Amino acid sequence: MPTAAALLQFDAVGVRLDGGQVLLVDVTAEAVAGSITVVAGPSGAGKSTLLRLGNRLEVPTSGRILFEGVDTATMDPCELRRRVGMVFQQPVLFAGTVSDNLRVADPAASDGRLVTVLEQVGLPPEFLERTADDLSGGEGQRVCIARALLTEPRVLLMDEPTSALDPTSRRAIEDLALDLAERGLAIMWVSHDHDQAERLGDQLVVMRDGRRVGTDEALAYLRDDLSGDDLSGDDQ
Amino acid sequence: MNSTHIGWAGLVGSFALIVIAIALSSWQRLHLSRSIAWASARAAVQLLLVGWALRLVLDPHASVAWAWIWVAVMVVFAGLTLRQRVPEVPGILWLGTLAMLTVIVVSLAVIFGFGVFPIEGRTIVPLAGMMIGNSMTSCVLVGRRIVAEFSEKRDEIEARLALGHRWSDAARPYTRNALRTALVPQIETTKAVGLVFLPGAMTGLVLAGVDALDAVTIQLALMYLILGSVATSVSVIGLGLTRQLFTSDHRLRRLDRSAS
Protein backbone atom coordinates (compact mmCIF):
# COMPACT_ATOMS: atom_id res chain seq x y z
CA MET A 1 0.00 0.00 0.00
CA PRO A 2 1.30 3.48 -0.84
CA THR A 3 2.13 5.68 2.11
CA ALA A 4 0.28 8.91 2.75
CA ALA A 5 3.30 11.07 1.88
CA ALA A 6 3.95 9.27 -1.41
CA LEU A 7 3.93 11.96 -4.08
CA LEU A 8 4.66 9.73 -7.04
CA GLN A 9 3.40 6.16 -7.14
CA PHE A 10 4.13 3.50 -9.71
CA ASP A 11 1.30 1.02 -9.48
CA ALA A 12 2.12 -2.34 -11.16
CA VAL A 13 3.53 -0.63 -14.23
CA GLY A 14 4.71 -2.54 -17.27
CA VAL A 15 6.33 -1.45 -20.54
CA ARG A 16 6.28 -3.57 -23.65
CA LEU A 17 7.65 -2.15 -26.91
CA ASP A 18 5.81 -2.49 -30.23
CA GLY A 19 8.29 -5.16 -31.28
CA GLY A 20 7.30 -7.26 -28.25
CA GLN A 21 10.39 -6.51 -26.13
CA VAL A 22 9.46 -6.29 -22.46
CA LEU A 23 11.22 -3.54 -20.47
CA LEU A 24 9.21 -3.52 -17.24
CA VAL A 25 6.85 -6.02 -15.61
CA ASP A 26 4.48 -5.15 -12.75
CA VAL A 27 6.76 -2.72 -10.96
CA THR A 28 5.37 -0.99 -7.90
CA ALA A 29 7.38 1.80 -6.26
CA GLU A 30 6.94 5.26 -4.82
CA ALA A 31 8.72 8.53 -4.20
CA VAL A 32 8.02 9.96 -0.77
CA ALA A 33 8.22 13.61 0.24
CA GLY A 34 11.37 14.47 2.16
CA SER A 35 13.21 11.28 1.30
CA ILE A 36 15.32 9.57 -1.34
CA THR A 37 14.21 6.41 -3.06
CA VAL A 38 17.19 4.70 -4.66
CA VAL A 39 16.43 2.55 -7.70
CA ALA A 40 19.31 0.11 -7.98
CA GLY A 41 20.21 -2.82 -10.17
CA PRO A 42 22.47 -3.82 -13.03
CA SER A 43 22.53 -2.26 -16.51
CA GLY A 44 19.46 -3.12 -18.55
CA ALA A 45 17.34 -3.85 -15.48
CA GLY A 46 14.79 -1.16 -16.42
CA LYS A 47 15.83 1.52 -13.89
CA SER A 48 15.96 4.40 -16.36
CA THR A 49 12.74 3.30 -18.04
CA LEU A 50 11.00 3.38 -14.66
CA LEU A 51 12.30 6.88 -14.04
CA ARG A 52 11.28 8.12 -17.49
CA LEU A 53 7.74 6.92 -16.80
CA GLY A 54 7.71 9.27 -13.82
CA ASN A 55 7.55 12.43 -15.90
CA ARG A 56 5.98 10.77 -18.93
CA LEU A 57 8.92 10.74 -21.31
CA GLU A 58 7.69 7.15 -21.65
CA VAL A 59 4.22 5.77 -21.01
CA PRO A 60 3.36 2.41 -19.43
CA THR A 61 1.56 -0.25 -21.42
CA SER A 62 0.04 -1.60 -18.20
CA GLY A 63 -0.50 -0.30 -14.69
CA ARG A 64 -0.72 3.35 -13.77
CA ILE A 65 1.32 6.17 -12.29
CA LEU A 66 -0.15 8.57 -9.77
CA PHE A 67 1.11 12.04 -8.91
CA GLU A 68 -0.40 13.38 -5.70
CA GLY A 69 -3.04 10.68 -6.08
CA VAL A 70 -4.01 11.65 -9.63
CA ASP A 71 -3.44 9.29 -12.55
CA THR A 72 -0.75 11.00 -14.66
CA ALA A 73 -2.43 9.70 -17.84
CA THR A 74 -5.21 12.20 -17.16
CA MET A 75 -2.86 15.15 -16.52
CA ASP A 76 -1.37 17.69 -18.94
CA PRO A 77 2.10 16.16 -19.52
CA CYS A 78 3.79 19.57 -19.59
CA GLU A 79 2.28 20.55 -16.26
CA LEU A 80 3.25 17.15 -14.80
CA ARG A 81 6.85 17.56 -15.97
CA ARG A 82 7.15 20.88 -14.20
CA ARG A 83 6.06 19.22 -10.96
CA VAL A 84 8.17 16.10 -11.51
CA GLY A 85 11.61 17.32 -12.62
CA MET A 86 14.27 15.17 -14.22
CA VAL A 87 18.08 15.21 -14.21
CA PHE A 88 19.79 12.99 -16.76
CA GLN A 89 22.91 10.84 -16.53
CA GLN A 90 24.99 13.16 -18.70
CA PRO A 91 24.57 16.88 -17.99
CA VAL A 92 22.54 18.30 -20.89
CA LEU A 93 23.62 21.89 -21.39
CA PHE A 94 22.44 24.17 -24.17
CA ALA A 95 24.64 26.62 -26.06
CA GLY A 96 25.14 29.92 -24.26
CA THR A 97 25.72 30.99 -20.69
CA VAL A 98 24.54 29.41 -17.45
CA SER A 99 21.95 32.17 -17.29
CA ASP A 100 20.67 31.20 -20.78
CA ASN A 101 20.49 27.59 -19.65
CA LEU A 102 18.50 28.40 -16.54
CA ARG A 103 16.08 30.58 -18.49
CA VAL A 104 15.19 27.61 -20.69
CA ALA A 105 13.24 26.41 -17.63
CA ASP A 106 11.75 29.81 -16.85
CA PRO A 107 12.29 32.59 -19.42
CA ALA A 108 10.70 35.14 -17.10
CA ALA A 109 12.88 34.36 -14.06
CA SER A 110 14.59 37.39 -12.53
CA ASP A 111 18.36 37.46 -12.02
CA GLY A 112 17.69 37.27 -8.28
CA ARG A 113 15.72 34.06 -8.72
CA LEU A 114 18.53 32.58 -10.83
CA VAL A 115 21.07 33.46 -8.16
CA THR A 116 18.86 31.80 -5.51
CA VAL A 117 18.70 28.47 -7.37
CA LEU A 118 22.42 28.63 -8.10
CA GLU A 119 23.07 29.07 -4.39
CA GLN A 120 20.74 26.15 -3.67
CA VAL A 121 23.04 23.90 -5.70
CA GLY A 122 26.20 25.43 -4.21
CA LEU A 123 27.31 27.62 -7.11
CA PRO A 124 28.22 31.33 -6.70
CA PRO A 125 26.29 34.08 -8.55
CA GLU A 126 29.28 34.72 -10.87
CA PHE A 127 28.43 31.47 -12.59
CA LEU A 128 25.48 33.13 -14.31
CA GLU A 129 27.78 34.65 -16.93
CA ARG A 130 29.93 31.53 -17.40
CA THR A 131 29.72 29.82 -20.77
CA ALA A 132 28.11 26.39 -20.43
CA ASP A 133 30.85 24.80 -22.54
CA ASP A 134 33.47 25.84 -19.96
CA LEU A 135 31.87 24.03 -17.01
CA SER A 136 33.29 20.85 -15.50
CA GLY A 137 31.08 17.74 -15.37
CA GLY A 138 30.15 18.36 -11.74
CA GLU A 139 29.40 22.05 -12.32
CA GLY A 140 27.35 21.17 -15.38
CA GLN A 141 25.28 18.66 -13.42
CA ARG A 142 24.67 21.25 -10.68
CA VAL A 143 23.45 23.71 -13.30
CA CYS A 144 21.10 21.01 -14.61
CA ILE A 145 19.75 20.46 -11.10
CA ALA A 146 19.35 24.22 -10.62
CA ARG A 147 17.48 24.38 -13.94
CA ALA A 148 15.15 21.60 -12.83
CA LEU A 149 14.57 23.36 -9.49
CA LEU A 150 13.45 26.52 -11.30
CA THR A 151 10.17 24.81 -12.20
CA GLU A 152 9.60 24.25 -8.46
CA PRO A 153 9.09 20.49 -8.68
CA ARG A 154 7.78 18.38 -5.82
CA VAL A 155 9.57 15.30 -7.12
CA LEU A 156 13.04 15.13 -8.65
CA LEU A 157 13.98 12.13 -10.80
CA MET A 158 17.77 11.70 -11.02
CA ASP A 159 19.03 9.14 -13.51
CA GLU A 160 22.54 8.14 -12.42
CA PRO A 161 23.47 11.82 -12.07
CA THR A 162 26.95 11.07 -10.74
CA SER A 163 28.04 8.25 -13.02
CA ALA A 164 30.12 10.54 -15.22
CA LEU A 165 31.66 12.51 -12.33
CA ASP A 166 34.86 12.28 -10.31
CA PRO A 167 34.58 11.16 -6.62
CA THR A 168 34.65 14.72 -5.22
CA SER A 169 31.90 15.97 -7.53
CA ARG A 170 29.96 12.74 -6.88
CA ARG A 171 29.90 13.34 -3.14
CA ALA A 172 28.98 17.00 -3.64
CA ILE A 173 25.96 16.04 -5.78
CA GLU A 174 24.97 13.35 -3.24
CA ASP A 175 25.12 15.95 -0.42
CA LEU A 176 23.01 18.27 -2.55
CA ALA A 177 20.39 15.53 -3.02
CA LEU A 178 20.31 14.86 0.73
CA ASP A 179 19.88 18.58 1.35
CA LEU A 180 17.03 18.84 -1.19
CA ALA A 181 15.29 15.84 0.36
CA GLU A 182 15.64 17.44 3.78
CA ARG A 183 13.82 20.47 2.41
CA GLY A 184 10.86 18.27 1.49
CA LEU A 185 11.55 17.18 -2.08
CA ALA A 186 10.79 13.57 -3.02
CA ILE A 187 13.81 12.22 -4.87
CA MET A 188 14.12 9.09 -6.97
CA TRP A 189 17.77 8.35 -7.64
CA VAL A 190 18.95 5.66 -10.04
CA SER A 191 22.26 4.04 -9.19
CA HIS A 192 24.13 0.82 -9.67
CA ASP A 193 26.64 1.69 -6.96
CA HIS A 194 25.91 -0.35 -3.80
CA ASP A 195 27.67 2.08 -1.46
CA GLN A 196 25.87 5.03 -2.95
CA ALA A 197 22.54 3.21 -2.60
CA GLU A 198 23.29 2.64 1.08
CA ARG A 199 24.47 6.22 1.67
CA LEU A 200 21.47 7.86 0.04
CA GLY A 201 18.52 5.53 0.13
CA ASP A 202 15.69 5.99 2.58
CA GLN A 203 13.85 3.45 0.43
CA LEU A 204 15.44 0.94 -1.89
CA VAL A 205 13.97 -0.46 -5.08
CA VAL A 206 16.15 -3.16 -6.62
CA MET A 207 15.41 -4.14 -10.20
CA ARG A 208 16.34 -7.16 -12.25
CA ASP A 209 15.28 -7.98 -15.79
CA GLY A 210 12.53 -5.37 -15.69
CA ARG A 211 11.06 -6.62 -12.39
CA ARG A 212 11.37 -5.38 -8.83
CA VAL A 213 13.05 -8.03 -6.70
CA GLY A 214 11.76 -9.05 -3.25
CA THR A 215 12.89 -7.59 0.09
CA ASP A 216 15.37 -10.34 0.93
CA GLU A 217 17.09 -10.06 -2.40
CA ALA A 218 17.12 -6.26 -2.12
CA LEU A 219 18.74 -6.43 1.31
CA ALA A 220 21.28 -8.91 0.02
CA TYR A 221 22.07 -6.48 -2.77
CA LEU A 222 22.61 -3.71 -0.25
CA ARG A 223 24.90 -5.92 1.85
CA ASP A 224 26.83 -6.56 -1.33
CA ASP A 225 26.04 -10.27 -1.09
CA LEU A 226 24.55 -9.97 -4.55
CA SER A 227 26.58 -8.20 -7.17
CA GLY A 228 25.14 -6.55 -10.23
CA ASP A 229 26.28 -9.57 -12.22
CA ASP A 230 24.35 -11.89 -9.93
CA LEU A 231 21.29 -9.77 -10.37
CA SER A 232 21.57 -9.85 -14.12
CA GLY A 233 21.72 -13.66 -14.04
CA ASP A 234 19.65 -15.49 -16.65
CA ASP A 235 17.67 -17.57 -14.24
CA GLN A 236 14.34 -16.77 -15.78
CA MET B 1 17.90 26.64 -89.11
CA ASN B 2 16.77 29.39 -86.68
CA SER B 3 17.65 29.69 -82.99
CA THR B 4 14.44 27.97 -81.78
CA HIS B 5 14.71 25.00 -84.08
CA ILE B 6 17.96 23.10 -83.96
CA GLY B 7 16.59 19.99 -85.71
CA TRP B 8 17.78 16.41 -85.36
CA ALA B 9 21.15 17.32 -86.91
CA GLY B 10 21.70 19.96 -84.21
CA LEU B 11 20.78 17.48 -81.50
CA VAL B 12 23.20 14.89 -82.85
CA GLY B 13 25.88 17.61 -83.06
CA SER B 14 25.41 18.49 -79.38
CA PHE B 15 25.89 14.80 -78.58
CA ALA B 16 29.56 15.33 -79.51
CA LEU B 17 29.96 16.86 -76.03
CA ILE B 18 28.73 13.62 -74.46
CA VAL B 19 31.33 11.75 -76.51
CA ILE B 20 33.97 14.11 -75.07
CA ALA B 21 32.69 13.44 -71.53
CA ILE B 22 32.84 9.67 -72.11
CA ALA B 23 36.34 9.99 -73.57
CA LEU B 24 37.51 11.98 -70.53
CA SER B 25 36.01 9.39 -68.20
CA SER B 26 37.78 6.56 -70.03
CA TRP B 27 41.08 8.45 -70.16
CA GLN B 28 41.01 9.14 -66.40
CA ARG B 29 39.58 5.67 -65.65
CA LEU B 30 36.66 7.14 -63.73
CA HIS B 31 34.46 4.16 -64.66
CA LEU B 32 31.65 6.58 -65.43
CA SER B 33 31.41 6.06 -69.21
CA ARG B 34 28.40 3.77 -69.00
CA SER B 35 26.68 6.06 -66.49
CA ILE B 36 27.20 9.08 -68.74
CA ALA B 37 25.91 7.20 -71.79
CA TRP B 38 22.92 5.84 -69.84
CA ALA B 39 22.09 9.25 -68.34
CA SER B 40 22.16 10.96 -71.76
CA ALA B 41 20.11 8.23 -73.44
CA ARG B 42 17.58 8.21 -70.60
CA ALA B 43 17.29 12.02 -70.67
CA ALA B 44 16.72 11.89 -74.44
CA VAL B 45 13.95 9.28 -74.18
CA GLN B 46 12.27 11.01 -71.22
CA LEU B 47 12.35 14.46 -72.78
CA LEU B 48 11.19 13.25 -76.19
CA LEU B 49 8.24 11.50 -74.56
CA VAL B 50 7.50 14.61 -72.52
CA GLY B 51 7.82 16.78 -75.62
CA TRP B 52 5.36 14.59 -77.50
CA ALA B 53 2.88 14.69 -74.62
CA LEU B 54 3.42 18.42 -74.10
CA ARG B 55 2.49 19.03 -77.71
CA LEU B 56 -0.92 17.55 -76.99
CA VAL B 57 -1.38 19.43 -73.72
CA LEU B 58 -0.08 22.78 -74.99
CA ASP B 59 -2.10 22.73 -78.17
CA PRO B 60 -4.03 26.03 -78.09
CA HIS B 61 -7.19 24.12 -78.93
CA ALA B 62 -6.72 21.57 -76.11
CA SER B 63 -8.68 21.98 -72.87
CA VAL B 64 -6.73 23.58 -70.00
CA ALA B 65 -7.95 20.63 -67.87
CA TRP B 66 -5.24 18.49 -69.49
CA ALA B 67 -2.62 20.87 -68.12
CA TRP B 68 -4.05 20.53 -64.60
CA ILE B 69 -4.06 16.73 -64.93
CA TRP B 70 -0.40 16.96 -65.97
CA VAL B 71 0.35 19.02 -62.85
CA ALA B 72 -1.48 16.51 -60.63
CA VAL B 73 0.64 13.69 -62.03
CA MET B 74 3.80 15.76 -61.43
CA VAL B 75 2.77 16.31 -57.78
CA VAL B 76 2.24 12.58 -57.22
CA PHE B 77 5.54 11.71 -58.90
CA ALA B 78 7.33 14.32 -56.80
CA GLY B 79 6.03 12.62 -53.63
CA LEU B 80 7.12 9.21 -54.90
CA THR B 81 10.55 10.51 -55.90
CA LEU B 82 11.04 12.08 -52.49
CA ARG B 83 10.18 8.79 -50.82
CA GLN B 84 12.75 7.07 -52.99
CA ARG B 85 15.45 9.66 -52.24
CA VAL B 86 14.93 10.01 -48.48
CA PRO B 87 13.39 6.78 -47.21
CA GLU B 88 14.70 7.55 -43.71
CA VAL B 89 12.21 10.42 -43.39
CA PRO B 90 8.96 9.07 -41.90
CA GLY B 91 5.82 9.94 -43.86
CA ILE B 92 7.75 11.66 -46.64
CA LEU B 93 5.34 10.40 -49.32
CA TRP B 94 2.31 12.23 -48.05
CA LEU B 95 4.31 15.15 -46.63
CA GLY B 96 6.11 15.63 -49.96
CA THR B 97 2.87 15.41 -51.90
CA LEU B 98 1.21 17.88 -49.54
CA ALA B 99 4.20 20.25 -49.83
CA MET B 100 4.12 20.21 -53.62
CA LEU B 101 0.36 20.67 -53.68
CA THR B 102 0.66 23.66 -51.35
CA VAL B 103 3.40 25.13 -53.52
CA ILE B 104 1.29 24.78 -56.64
CA VAL B 105 -1.83 26.26 -55.06
CA VAL B 106 -0.08 29.19 -53.35
CA SER B 107 2.36 30.11 -56.12
CA LEU B 108 -0.01 29.75 -59.05
CA ALA B 109 -2.69 31.66 -57.15
CA VAL B 110 -0.25 34.57 -56.78
CA ILE B 111 1.10 34.36 -60.34
CA PHE B 112 -2.28 34.02 -62.02
CA GLY B 113 -4.07 36.19 -59.46
CA PHE B 114 -1.81 39.15 -60.22
CA GLY B 115 -1.97 38.40 -63.94
CA VAL B 116 1.79 37.86 -64.22
CA PHE B 117 1.13 35.12 -66.76
CA PRO B 118 -2.14 34.12 -68.44
CA ILE B 119 -3.84 30.88 -67.33
CA GLU B 120 -3.03 28.62 -70.25
CA GLY B 121 -1.63 25.15 -70.70
CA ARG B 122 1.65 26.62 -71.96
CA THR B 123 2.13 28.56 -68.69
CA ILE B 124 0.61 26.14 -66.14
CA VAL B 125 2.75 23.11 -67.00
CA PRO B 126 6.21 24.71 -67.24
CA LEU B 127 5.66 26.96 -64.21
CA ALA B 128 4.47 24.04 -62.08
CA GLY B 129 7.37 21.92 -63.31
CA MET B 130 9.85 24.63 -62.43
CA MET B 131 8.45 25.07 -58.94
CA ILE B 132 8.32 21.36 -58.17
CA GLY B 133 11.76 20.67 -59.68
CA ASN B 134 13.45 23.43 -57.71
CA SER B 135 11.64 22.53 -54.49
CA MET B 136 12.71 18.88 -54.59
CA THR B 137 16.35 19.40 -53.59
CA SER B 138 15.43 21.67 -50.69
CA CYS B 139 12.77 19.24 -49.51
CA VAL B 140 15.30 16.40 -49.49
CA LEU B 141 17.72 18.63 -47.60
CA VAL B 142 15.25 19.74 -44.93
CA GLY B 143 13.95 16.18 -44.42
CA ARG B 144 17.45 14.77 -43.96
CA ARG B 145 18.51 17.66 -41.76
CA ILE B 146 15.54 17.33 -39.40
CA VAL B 147 16.00 13.57 -39.01
CA ALA B 148 19.73 14.08 -38.35
CA GLU B 149 19.18 17.01 -35.99
CA PHE B 150 16.49 15.23 -33.96
CA SER B 151 18.59 12.06 -33.71
CA GLU B 152 21.80 13.85 -32.72
CA LYS B 153 20.10 16.30 -30.34
CA ARG B 154 17.64 13.84 -28.81
CA ASP B 155 19.11 14.47 -25.33
CA GLU B 156 18.63 18.22 -25.64
CA ILE B 157 15.08 17.92 -26.95
CA GLU B 158 14.12 15.50 -24.17
CA ALA B 159 15.74 17.79 -21.60
CA ARG B 160 13.50 20.61 -22.85
CA LEU B 161 10.43 18.35 -22.76
CA ALA B 162 11.38 17.27 -19.24
CA LEU B 163 11.30 20.94 -18.21
CA GLY B 164 7.67 21.14 -19.31
CA HIS B 165 8.13 22.55 -22.81
CA ARG B 166 5.41 21.75 -25.33
CA TRP B 167 6.61 19.78 -28.37
CA SER B 168 6.59 22.86 -30.57
CA ASP B 169 8.77 24.85 -28.15
CA ALA B 170 11.14 21.93 -27.54
CA ALA B 171 11.62 21.40 -31.27
CA ARG B 172 11.80 25.01 -32.41
CA PRO B 173 15.61 25.64 -32.27
CA TYR B 174 16.33 22.39 -34.15
CA THR B 175 13.60 22.79 -36.77
CA ARG B 176 14.75 26.35 -37.32
CA ASN B 177 18.32 25.19 -37.96
CA ALA B 178 17.11 22.64 -40.48
CA LEU B 179 14.91 25.18 -42.29
CA ARG B 180 17.79 27.63 -42.54
CA THR B 181 20.13 24.95 -43.88
CA ALA B 182 17.61 24.02 -46.57
CA LEU B 183 16.80 27.60 -47.62
CA VAL B 184 20.27 29.13 -47.71
CA PRO B 185 21.38 27.47 -51.03
CA GLN B 186 18.36 28.86 -52.89
CA ILE B 187 18.91 32.31 -51.36
CA GLU B 188 22.56 32.18 -52.44
CA THR B 189 21.53 31.12 -55.95
CA THR B 190 19.10 34.02 -56.12
CA LYS B 191 21.83 36.43 -54.98
CA ALA B 192 24.32 35.16 -57.53
CA VAL B 193 22.00 35.24 -60.52
CA GLY B 194 23.25 37.43 -63.35
CA LEU B 195 26.71 37.83 -61.80
CA VAL B 196 27.88 34.26 -61.62
CA PHE B 197 25.52 32.56 -64.06
CA LEU B 198 22.68 33.21 -66.45
CA PRO B 199 19.67 31.11 -65.54
CA GLY B 200 18.24 28.57 -67.98
CA ALA B 201 14.92 30.25 -68.73
CA MET B 202 16.57 33.58 -69.55
CA THR B 203 19.21 31.89 -71.67
CA GLY B 204 16.46 30.03 -73.53
CA LEU B 205 14.51 33.21 -74.16
CA VAL B 206 17.57 35.07 -75.40
CA LEU B 207 18.43 32.16 -77.68
CA ALA B 208 14.85 32.25 -78.93
CA GLY B 209 15.37 35.89 -79.94
CA VAL B 210 13.44 37.60 -77.12
CA ASP B 211 14.66 41.07 -76.13
CA ALA B 212 17.19 40.81 -73.27
CA LEU B 213 15.22 43.12 -70.92
CA ASP B 214 12.01 41.19 -71.53
CA ALA B 215 13.95 37.99 -70.85
CA VAL B 216 15.27 39.54 -67.61
CA THR B 217 11.83 40.52 -66.29
CA ILE B 218 10.44 37.06 -67.01
CA GLN B 219 13.47 35.50 -65.37
CA LEU B 220 13.11 37.70 -62.30
CA ALA B 221 9.47 36.74 -61.93
CA LEU B 222 10.51 33.11 -62.19
CA MET B 223 13.30 33.51 -59.63
CA TYR B 224 10.87 35.05 -57.14
CA LEU B 225 8.41 32.30 -57.90
CA ILE B 226 11.06 29.64 -57.26
CA LEU B 227 12.31 31.25 -54.04
CA GLY B 228 8.75 31.51 -52.75
CA SER B 229 8.05 27.91 -53.77
CA VAL B 230 11.15 26.59 -52.08
CA ALA B 231 10.35 28.50 -48.88
CA THR B 232 6.77 27.17 -48.93
CA SER B 233 7.67 23.54 -49.60
CA VAL B 234 10.53 23.52 -47.08
CA SER B 235 8.21 24.97 -44.42
CA VAL B 236 5.47 22.41 -45.09
CA ILE B 237 7.94 19.51 -44.94
CA GLY B 238 9.90 20.94 -42.00
CA LEU B 239 6.93 21.79 -39.80
CA GLY B 240 4.90 18.75 -40.84
CA LEU B 241 7.79 16.38 -40.20
CA THR B 242 8.55 17.99 -36.84
CA ARG B 243 4.95 17.53 -35.73
CA GLN B 244 5.07 13.93 -36.82
CA LEU B 245 8.14 13.20 -34.69
CA PHE B 246 6.19 13.89 -31.50
CA THR B 247 3.28 12.06 -29.92
CA SER B 248 0.15 13.96 -28.94
CA ASP B 249 1.32 13.85 -25.30
CA HIS B 250 4.58 15.67 -26.12
CA ARG B 251 6.99 12.74 -26.29
CA LEU B 252 9.70 12.45 -28.92
CA ARG B 253 9.23 9.34 -31.06
CA ARG B 254 12.14 6.98 -31.64
CA LEU B 255 13.80 7.61 -34.98
CA ASP B 256 15.07 4.81 -37.14
CA ARG B 257 17.39 6.61 -39.55
CA SER B 258 17.67 3.56 -41.77
CA ALA B 259 13.90 3.13 -42.00
CA SER B 260 12.43 2.62 -45.41
Side-chain angles (χ1 to χ4, degrees):
Chain A
M1 280 291 288
T3 59
L7 290 176
L8 190 66
Q9 297 160 230
F10 298 83
D11 182 11
V13 292
V15 175
R16 177 189 287 267
L17 300 182
D18 289 342
Q21 192 190 350
V22 177
L23 301 183
L24 287 182
V25 183
D26 273 346
V27 177
T28 295
E30 59 189 34
V32 179
S35 71
I36 299 180
T37 302
V38 170
V39 183
S43 298
K47 307 184 297 293
S48 295
T49 305
L50 181 69
L51 222 61
R52 287 167 63 84
L53 290 174
N55 77 345
R56 240 172 112 174
L57 284 177
E58 308 280 350
V59 287
T61 45
S62 60
R64 59 188 190 147
I65 297 150
L66 308 173
F67 174 67
E68 294 180 329
V70 179
D71 190 339
T72 57
T74 65
M75 295 176 68
D76 173 6
C78 301
E79 183 52 35
L80 171 73
R81 288 169 187 155
R82 292 185 78 78
R83 310 309 313 279
V84 181
M86 181 133 183
V87 176
F88 297 87
Q89 189 170 356
Q90 297 286 341
V92 181
L93 295 165
F94 308 111
T97 61
V98 168
S99 169
D100 296 333
N101 267 271
L102 296 178
R103 286 210 163 90
V104 171
D106 183 1
S110 66
D111 283 351
R113 173 94 181 97
L114 300 188
V115 168
T116 305
V117 288
L118 273 189
E119 282 170 350
Q120 265 185 286
V121 299
L123 292 175
E126 301 83 67
F127 262 69
L128 279 182
E129 297 313 313
R130 289 272 298 271
T131 305
D133 283 347
D134 296 339
L135 302 179
S136 68
E139 290 166 344
Q141 199 60 292
R142 282 165 187 258
V143 170
C144 291
I145 296 170
R147 194 173 59 197
L149 292 177
L150 264 172
T151 65
E152 297 180 351
R154 297 209 64 198
V155 180
L156 194 57
L157 307 170
M158 305 180 86
D159 189 1
E160 299 198 49
T162 58
S163 65
L165 305 182
D166 60 78
T168 312
S169 302
R170 192 179 306 155
R171 290 308 285 260
I173 298 287
E174 285 177 13
D175 290 343
L176 173 58
L178 288 166
D179 181 45
L180 290 172
E182 207 164 283
R183 292 189 216 174
L185 217 60
I187 293 180
M188 277 191 100
W189 176 298
V190 164
S191 176
H192 58 238
D193 177 337
H194 300 221
D195 296 335
Q196 188 175 59
E198 192 159 18
R199 275 198 302 274
L200 296 180
D202 297 303
Q203 296 88 31
L204 179 67
V205 174
V206 179
M207 308 271 300
R208 175 177 66 176
D209 295 335
R211 295 172 189 270
R212 181 173 180 178
V213 303
T215 311
D216 291 345
E217 221 172 337
L219 288 171
Y221 174 83
L222 207 54
R223 288 197 308 268
D224 229 3
D225 294 345
L226 280 178
S227 69
D229 291 338
D230 294 332
L231 280 170
S232 65
D234 49 2
D235 57 343
Q236 292 196 333
Chain B
M1 184 181 78
N2 64 34
S3 58
T4 58
H5 182 77
I6 65 167
W8 293 107
L11 180 62
V12 171
S14 66
F15 193 74
L17 292 164
I18 297 299
V19 175
I20 292 173
I22 290 172
L24 283 171
S25 167
S26 302
W27 175 44
Q28 291 295 316
R29 296 181 185 170
L30 302 179
H31 304 293
L32 288 174
S33 305
R34 284 180 67 173
S35 293
I36 295 170
W38 168 242
S40 355
R42 186 176 155 162
V45 171
Q46 284 173 187
L47 279 178
L48 285 171
L49 279 174
V50 168
W52 173 77
L54 267 177
R55 266 186 142 170
L56 300 177
V57 173
L58 304 187
D59 183 335
H61 304 296
S63 164
V64 79
W66 289 110
W68 290 117
I69 291 172
W70 183 291
V71 172
V73 171
M74 278 199 287
V75 167
V76 172
F77 268 95
L80 290 169
T81 309
L82 279 171
R83 186 175 66 172
Q84 200 176 17
R85 288 179 65 182
V86 279
E88 72 272 26
V89 176
I92 189 65
L93 174 63
W94 76 264
L95 264 179
T97 308
L98 177 69
M100 296 308 169
L101 202 59
T102 311
V103 161
I104 297 293
V105 171
V106 172
S107 305
L108 291 187
V110 171
I111 286 289
F112 293 140
F114 283 110
V116 180
F117 293 109
I119 304 178
E120 294 170 5
R122 70 177 182 85
T123 54
I124 294 170
V125 172
L127 287 175
M130 200 172 279
M131 287 185 286
I132 290 174
N134 281 283
S135 297
M136 291 285 279
T137 312
S138 304
C139 287
V140 167
L141 202 56
V142 78
R144 278 193 184 141
R145 200 53 243 154
I146 283 187
V147 169
E149 192 89 1
F150 279 56
S151 300
E152 290 157 14
K153 306 280 176 63
R154 186 177 185 92
D155 288 354
E156 286 191 20
I157 296 169
E158 286 206 322
R160 288 176 191 272
L161 291 173
L163 288 166
H165 285 207
R166 308 195 85 73
W167 70 266
S168 48
D169 296 327
R172 187 166 295 119
Y174 313 97
T175 303
R176 194 178 281 158
N177 275 348
L179 293 178
R180 285 177 62 88
T181 305
L183 279 174
V184 163
Q186 190 59 46
I187 295 170
E188 292 304 318
T189 303
T190 307
K191 280 191 332 204
V193 73
L195 297 174
V196 181
F197 72 97
L198 292 179
M202 184 177 150
T203 308
L205 287 167
V206 171
L207 285 173
V210 173
D211 177 74
L213 268 184
D214 287 339
V216 163
T217 50
I218 291 175
Q219 182 61 53
L220 269 178
L222 292 178
M223 293 297 293
Y224 297 154
L225 181 68
I226 290 169
L227 188 54
S229 305
V230 169
T232 306
S233 58
V234 159
S235 301
V236 171
I237 299 253
L239 300 177
L241 178 58
T242 300
R243 178 67 195 93
Q244 206 170 277
L245 295 180
F246 290 88
T247 61
S248 58
D249 60 351
H250 308 272
R251 286 180 293 119
L252 180 57
R253 293 182 199 277
R254 300 205 180 281
L255 278 165
D256 179 3
R257 293 181 67 179
S258 61
S260 57

